[in-house]
Amino acid sequence: MPFPKALFAAIGVTAGAAGAVILTPFALSMAGFSAAGITAGSLGAGMMSSAAIANGGGVAAGSLVALLQSAGAAGMSAAATAGVASVGGTAGGLLGGAVGLLKRMRR
């Protein structure tokens, strides 16, 4: 029985959205944005240093570094979670659609 044309895309959207939401806190932590602050020597520390130099000694409120630190410390807001899920779902849908297309081309 052949799979429906959109099955791989639907699976990709679901897996991509869920995976992105689940893995984002781990990625933030690995980059050095944690509940305890920015980890010394991490990517986040380098970003913070660059942002502080560019802004004359401080990190601007609303900057990428400030947003990432906020998400790392307090978790993602509902809007951030929706945005991450949208990006992950889109990427997963594209990948799933490509897999479905390749499977149809093989037949």
Side-chain angles (χ1 to χ4, degrees):
M1 176 176 141
F3 292 110
K5 290 181 181 181
L7 179 64
F8 291 105
I11 291 170
V13 168
T14 304
V21 170
I22 291 168
L23 294 176
T24 296
F26 295 111
L28 286 170
S29 178
M30 294 300 295
F33 299 101
S34 68
I38 295 179
T39 306
S42 67
L43 173 67
M47 290 175 64
M48 183 177 182
S49 175
S50 296
I53 291 169
N55 290 315
V59 176
S63 68
L64 179 61
V65 174
L67 293 173
L68 291 173
Q69 179 52 39
S70 175
M76 293 188 302
S77 66
T81 300
V84 166
S86 296
V87 171
T90 300
L94 289 171
L95 183 61
V99 168
L101 179 64
L102 292 173
K103 285 187 123 348
R104 284 195 306 273
M105 289 174 62
R106 270 182 96 193
R107 287 189 237 169

